[in-house]
């Protein structure tokens, strides 16, 4: 029991004693007059007990033991309040730091602004410092340590039944009864689970292929007929090289899923006494990319057969050996994710490298696609909507998130009633979208017709009136003009429940590429950027389908090396692997 619990128990006992009527013996002897001292004591206690008791003053016990228990309770609670205040002060300091970093990220000078990754690193350090202070406090206070232990045990909501379990049984030193010397028998056990991690280990697999010959044939001289029997050598991804397919898969996933550049992986291996140059790791990745290229092409073909896609592009710096500098290439991302309206088509994303951002690259990438393409307002996509396009024009649906972002940049920069009003109206549209997410397309369309259309129809004339009232060339005018110029594509979602209100789906898909770009700085050449696109497509598609990229990559490379038939390439797609493992 804690100090507070003990004190409260004593208080309850003393109060119960006071509540029992006691028979007093009448006496004629004069009592000692201590009314002055008694009143002084009662006055001192009253100020203390008023903060800890909920009963009225008439209910205060007269028993000294009860009063003593009340004082102990008050002192214990005061200690708890002090600890709680200290914890709140630490939390307040942490929150103030977070707010300061967020303000600097959004409102600071451009040279002082930080990225999301930098903010996460700063928060990691802050969380670590707070955890250290908490651990030190628990070490000094057994009661606090016990409370923390109970809290951590209660927060364990994951069972980890899918992980291998290793049982450790801790037996007593002796199974003999200390009283009579008899043999003890089990009556139960306490079971606890802790999560452990075995660090990655590099091992050597030795493959032996015995040779066999026939002694009878050797005696008869029939060696040329019988020959020597030996199992064929297994296929290898890197012929004559060291790595297994699993090792190559680990290098690939570490680079493209966990964003570990090859030179860092080389340093990690060196700590285990395995010296493999970065250039050698790069050769392994190139060999894997060659095997995976048909899967990338097949995945892109499947996406282009879909009725609706998302598309976006992001920078990809590429080394330009002729000038000794880097040039700006682009990774174009094509994504499909129709889960918000209940489609059974699996989500996927494909990246393709292009040396520029011109519309010609979008036309080439989406050759053969006819349907709805959700994009931002970049004019490079307009060529896809050309009626003369072979196979027919593409319907361009534009992104409300991009429009909202333009008003938000003005809103955070200073007082702007128009930007504030625009954000409030767009927020109403997103609130409706939150309510109808995961509903069938027809129900989504009906809800948009009943609720969203009124908001959108009132927004256009307000845009026009506001644009006429702002100075020409003002930033708010550019945002209003952007919305009006793209109005047709912005309103397409009202009439089709399959269309999303924005293109955030594909923007989320290029975050991993952007992070990899920051770690790797640039691709070595155009071919390297193409390899980047090939492998990143499959790794990110694994993530979208909740598939372990390493397990899928190991299994797929092994099958491809062993001449997996091209007619069964659908079985190698990440979502097929997920269905097989389910």
């Amino acid at each position: 029991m804690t100090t507070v619990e003990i004190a409260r128990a004593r208080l309850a006992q003393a109060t119960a004693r006071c509540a029992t009527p006691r028979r007093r013996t009448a006496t004629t002897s004069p009592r000692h007059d201590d009314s002055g001292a008694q009143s002084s004591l009662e006055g001192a206690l009253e100020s203390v007990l008023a903060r800890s008791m909920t009963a009225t003053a008439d209910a205060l016990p007269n028993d000294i033991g009860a009063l003593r228990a009340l004082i102990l309770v008050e002192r214990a609670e005061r200690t708890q309040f002090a600890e709680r205040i200290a914890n709140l002060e630490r939390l307040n300091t942490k929150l103030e730091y977070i707010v300061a970093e967020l303000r600097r990220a959004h409102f600071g000078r451009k040279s002082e602004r930080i990225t999301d990754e930098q903010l996460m690193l700063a928060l990691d350090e802050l969380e670590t410092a707070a955890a250290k202070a908490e651990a030190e406090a628990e070490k000094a206070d057994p009661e606090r340590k016990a409370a923390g232990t109970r809290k951590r045990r209660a927060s364990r909501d994951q069972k980890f039944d899918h992980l291998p379990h290793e049982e450790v049984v801790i037996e007593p030193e002796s199974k003999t009864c200390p009283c009579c010397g008899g043999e003890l028998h089990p009556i139960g056990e306490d079971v606890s689970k802790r999560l452990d991690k075995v660090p990655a280990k590099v091992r050597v697999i030795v493959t032996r292929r015995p040779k066999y010959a026939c002694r009878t044939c050797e005696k008869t001289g029939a060696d040329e007929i019988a020959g020597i029997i030996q199992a064929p050598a297994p296929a290898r991804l890197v012929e004559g090289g060291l790595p297994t397919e699993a090792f190559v898969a680990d290098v690939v996933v570490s680079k493209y899923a966990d964003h570990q550049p090859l030179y860092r992986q080389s340093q990690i291996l060196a700590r285990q006494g395995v010296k493999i140059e970065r250039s050698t790791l790069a050769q392994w990745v190139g060999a894997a990319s060659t095997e995976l290229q048909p899967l990338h092409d097949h995945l892109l073909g499947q996406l282009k057969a879909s009725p609706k896609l998302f598309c976006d592009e992001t920078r990809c710096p590429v080394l330009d050996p002729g000038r000794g500098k880097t040039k700006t290439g682009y990774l174009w991302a094509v994504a499909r994710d129709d889960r918000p309206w209940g489609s059974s088509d699996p989500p996927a994303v494909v990246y393709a490298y292009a040396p520029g951002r011109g519309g010609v690259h979008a036309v080439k990438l989406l050759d053969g696609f006819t349907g709805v393409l959700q994009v931002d307002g970049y004019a490079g996509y307009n060529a896809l909507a050309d009626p003369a396009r072979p196979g027919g024009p593409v319907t361009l649906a534009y992104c409300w998130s991009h429009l909202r972002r333009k008003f938000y940049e003005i809103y955070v920069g200073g007082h702007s009633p128009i930007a504030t009003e625009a954000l409030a109206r767009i927020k109403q549209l997103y609130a409706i979208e939150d309510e109808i997410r995961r509903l069938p397309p027809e129900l989504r369309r009906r809800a948009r017709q009943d609720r969203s259309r009124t908001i959108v129809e009132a927004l256009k004339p307000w845009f026009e009136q506001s644009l006429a009232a702002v100075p020409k060339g003002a930033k708010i005018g550019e945002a209003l003009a952007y919305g009006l110029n793209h109005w047709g594509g912005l309103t397409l979602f009202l009439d089709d429940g399959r269309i999303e209100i924005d293109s955030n789906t594909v923007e989320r898909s290029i975050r991993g590429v952007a992070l990899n770009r920051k770690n790797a700085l640039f691709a070595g050449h155009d071919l390297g950027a193409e390899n980047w696109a090939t492998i990143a497509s499959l790794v990110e598609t694994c993530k979208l389908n909740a598939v372990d990229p390493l397990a899928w990559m190991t299994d797929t490379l092994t099958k491809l090396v062993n001449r997996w038939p091209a007619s069964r390439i659908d079985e190698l797609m990440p979502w097929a692997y997920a269905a097989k493992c389910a």
Side-chain angles (χ1 to χ4, degrees):
M1 296 178 68
T2 64
T3 304
V4 176
E5 292 172 342
I6 294 173
R8 284 176 175 165
R10 292 182 60 185
L11 173 61
Q13 292 176 353
T15 305
R17 289 198 304 269
C18 293
T20 303
R22 291 186 295 178
R23 187 173 299 174
R24 305 185 67 174
T25 305
T27 177
T28 58
S29 59
R31 292 184 60 188
H32 176 67
D33 186 7
D34 57 355
S35 58
Q38 181 69 21
S39 61
S40 176
L41 175 61
E42 289 177 354
L45 286 175
E46 185 176 358
S47 62
V48 175
L49 299 178
R51 295 190 298 269
S52 59
M53 292 193 62
T54 58
T56 62
D58 295 337
L60 290 175
N62 295 324
D63 186 77
I64 297 298
L67 293 174
R68 181 182 179 85
L70 279 176
I71 294 174
L72 290 175
V73 169
E74 191 276 336
R75 288 178 179 175
E77 290 183 345
R78 180 178 293 179
T79 302
Q80 285 187 340
F81 290 151
E83 293 178 355
R84 187 177 302 173
I85 291 172
N87 288 334
L88 291 175
E89 288 178 349
R90 285 196 294 268
L91 178 60
N92 187 58
T93 301
K94 172 182 172 182
L95 294 177
E96 286 179 350
Y97 178 85
I98 294 174
V99 170
E101 292 294 339
L102 291 175
R103 286 183 180 278
R104 184 159 68 94
H106 288 289
F107 308 123
R109 295 179 181 177
K110 188 174 182 180
S111 60
E112 297 178 351
R113 293 179 185 175
I114 60 175
T115 63
D116 292 341
E117 290 76 22
Q118 291 172 323
L119 178 60
M120 294 306 296
L121 290 174
L123 295 181
D124 285 347
E125 296 301 326
L126 185 61
E127 294 281 1
T128 302
K132 180 183 178 182
E134 182 66 23
E136 291 175 347
E138 287 189 5
K139 194 173 182 179
D141 186 354
E143 293 184 5
R144 187 167 183 172
K145 182 177 182 180
T149 301
R150 290 192 297 269
K151 182 179 179 181
R152 285 186 287 271
R153 284 175 178 169
S155 64
R156 292 182 180 179
D157 55 348
Q158 288 185 276
K159 301 301 182 183
F160 300 110
D161 293 335
H162 62 289
L163 297 177
H165 284 52
E166 178 180 338
E167 292 194 358
V168 177
V169 180
I170 304 177
E171 296 280 7
E173 294 182 359
S174 173
K175 295 184 180 180
T176 303
C177 178
C179 300
C180 66
E183 184 179 355
L184 300 177
H185 66 278
I187 60 172
E189 63 180 4
D190 291 332
V191 180
S192 64
K193 293 183 179 181
R194 294 196 301 165
L195 198 60
D196 189 28
K197 180 179 179 180
V198 179
K201 294 183 178 180
V202 182
R203 63 179 182 177
V204 176
I205 296 179
V206 180
T207 302
R208 301 183 184 277
R209 295 186 298 121
K211 297 180 180 180
Y212 296 92
C214 177
R215 295 186 182 279
T216 303
C217 294
E218 288 177 352
K219 294 179 179 179
T220 59
D223 289 351
E224 296 180 358
I225 299 175
I228 298 176
I229 305 301
Q230 186 182 31
R236 295 185 178 188
L237 176 63
V238 182
E239 291 294 341
L242 286 173
T244 63
E245 286 67 46
F247 196 169
V248 175
D250 182 76
V251 173
V252 169
V253 172
S254 295
K255 176 176 173 61
Y256 293 98
D258 302 326
H259 317 294
Q260 286 282 356
L262 295 181
Y263 79 90
R264 292 182 186 169
Q265 296 190 49
S266 177
Q267 293 171 350
I268 294 172
L269 290 169
R271 291 202 296 265
Q272 301 187 45
V274 181
K275 295 183 179 180
I276 300 179
E277 297 296 331
R278 179 200 51 78
S279 58
T280 302
L281 297 178
Q283 293 174 3
W284 298 357
V285 174
S289 178
T290 300
E291 294 293 333
L292 295 171
Q293 186 63 48
L295 273 67
H296 172 273
D297 298 340
H298 181 75
L299 181 59
L300 178 59
Q302 285 207 328
L303 290 189
K304 290 196 290 187
S306 304
K308 184 178 70 69
L309 293 175
F310 300 86
C311 191
D312 199 2
E313 73 288 335
T314 185
R315 292 182 303 103
C316 179
V318 178
L319 192 63
D320 191 357
R323 298 189 305 160
K325 301 179 180 179
T326 59
K327 60 182 180 180
T328 302
Y330 284 87
L331 282 179
W332 293 73
V334 178
R336 175 183 68 192
D337 191 350
D338 295 332
R339 290 175 292 182
W341 53 270
S343 173
S344 59
D345 291 337
V349 61
V350 169
Y351 306 102
Y353 172 74
R357 197 190 178 203
V360 61
H361 302 296
V363 171
K364 180 180 178 181
L365 175 62
L366 293 169
D367 181 34
F369 170 71
T370 55
V372 177
L373 186 68
Q374 295 206 245
V375 295
D376 55 23
Y378 174 50
Y381 296 107
N382 293 341
L384 295 168
D386 188 347
R389 176 178 179 261
V394 170
T395 302
L396 298 180
Y398 292 123
C399 174
W400 280 88
S401 179
H402 279 78
L403 175 60
R404 179 188 180 279
R405 194 172 302 156
K406 292 180 180 297
F407 288 111
Y408 181 76
E409 291 173 354
I410 301 171
Y411 168 79
V412 299
H415 179 67
S416 176
I418 296 178
T420 303
E421 177 68 17
L423 290 175
R425 297 194 182 199
I426 295 174
K427 182 179 180 180
Q428 295 176 2
L429 296 177
Y430 273 89
I432 297 172
E433 292 300 308
D434 289 340
E435 295 179 17
I436 65 176
R437 187 169 288 109
R438 303 286 181 178
L439 294 181
E442 180 55 32
L443 293 181
R444 284 158 57 97
R445 188 194 69 82
R446 191 182 309 167
R448 289 167 175 173
Q449 291 289 327
D450 294 341
R451 302 170 60 188
S452 301
R453 179 171 290 278
T454 303
I455 301 172
V456 172
E457 288 180 347
L459 193 58
K460 185 178 181 181
W462 182 77
F463 270 21
E464 293 171 341
Q465 295 171 6
S466 300
L467 181 60
V470 300
K472 186 176 181 181
K475 196 171 182 180
I476 186 65
E478 295 177 1
L480 293 167
Y482 175 90
L484 293 172
N485 292 337
H486 297 84
W487 197 255
L490 287 170
T491 58
L492 280 179
F493 80 104
L494 296 173
D495 301 312
D496 191 338
R498 301 170 305 165
I499 299 177
E500 295 301 308
I501 193 173
D502 54 39
S503 60
N504 287 348
T505 295
V506 68
E507 289 200 6
R508 289 191 295 268
S509 296
I510 63 177
R511 287 178 183 172
V513 175
L515 183 57
N516 213 25
R517 178 181 64 210
K518 291 178 181 178
N519 285 341
L521 298 182
F522 51 80
H525 44 71
D526 289 344
L527 183 58
E530 292 174 3
N531 293 337
W532 192 346
T534 297
I535 299 176
S537 301
L538 299 167
V539 167
E540 292 298 322
T541 299
C542 283
K543 293 181 181 180
L544 287 173
N545 289 274
V547 172
D548 178 10
L550 180 58
W552 176 86
M553 187 70 68
T554 301
D555 181 74
T556 301
L557 287 178
T558 302
K559 289 177 178 177
L560 290 173
V561 168
N562 287 277
R563 300 182 180 278
W564 185 265
S567 59
R568 297 173 58 190
I569 195 171
D570 282 330
E571 299 177 33
L572 298 181
M573 293 291 102
W575 52 83
Y577 181 84
K580 182 184 69 173
C581 296

